[in-house]
Amino acid sequence: MDHVDGNALSGPFSDLFGRDLTQVSGVCASCTQWSMLAETHVYQQAPGLVARCPHCGHAVATVVPTPRGLRLGLTGLRFLEIPTASS
């Protein structure tokens, strides 16, 4: 299965959060490695997008369109670190 880089998340995350979050860093819940969302491996063959950790391949995020909107899953991340304007 072919993948693209995490920049494929830019559009859906901008729709959800009003800003591009691909440069945001997070920690994989499986291997505890830090990486930017842009570094994830995104698979587009599913009904939505599946972002996998570039270190261990664990699914860290999913974005799935539904009739009511976008469904976002971030259960594969321990946390995201999002810089604020004052950072």
Side-chain angles (χ1 to χ4, degrees), residues 3-4 6 8 10 12-13 21 23-24 28 30-31 36 39 42 45 50 59 61 66 70 73-74 80 82 87:
H3 68 271
V4 296
S10 178
F13 279 14
L21 296 182
Q23 299 303 308
V24 168
C28 175
S30 178
C31 71
M36 291 187 305
E39 296 173 320
V42 176
Q45 293 85 356
V50 177
T66 71
L70 290 176
L74 297 173
L80 284 174
I82 303 171
S87 311

Side-chain angles (χ1 to χ4, degrees), residues 1 3-4 6 8 11 13 19 21-22 24 26 29 39 42 44 54-55 58 61-63 67 72 74 76 84-85 87:
M1 212 177 325
H3 68 271
V4 296
F13 279 14
R19 64 185 272 198
L21 296 182
T22 56
V24 168
E39 296 173 320
V42 176
Q44 300 172 309
H55 304 284
H58 182 73
T62 57
V63 181
L72 174 65
L74 297 173
T84 60
S87 311

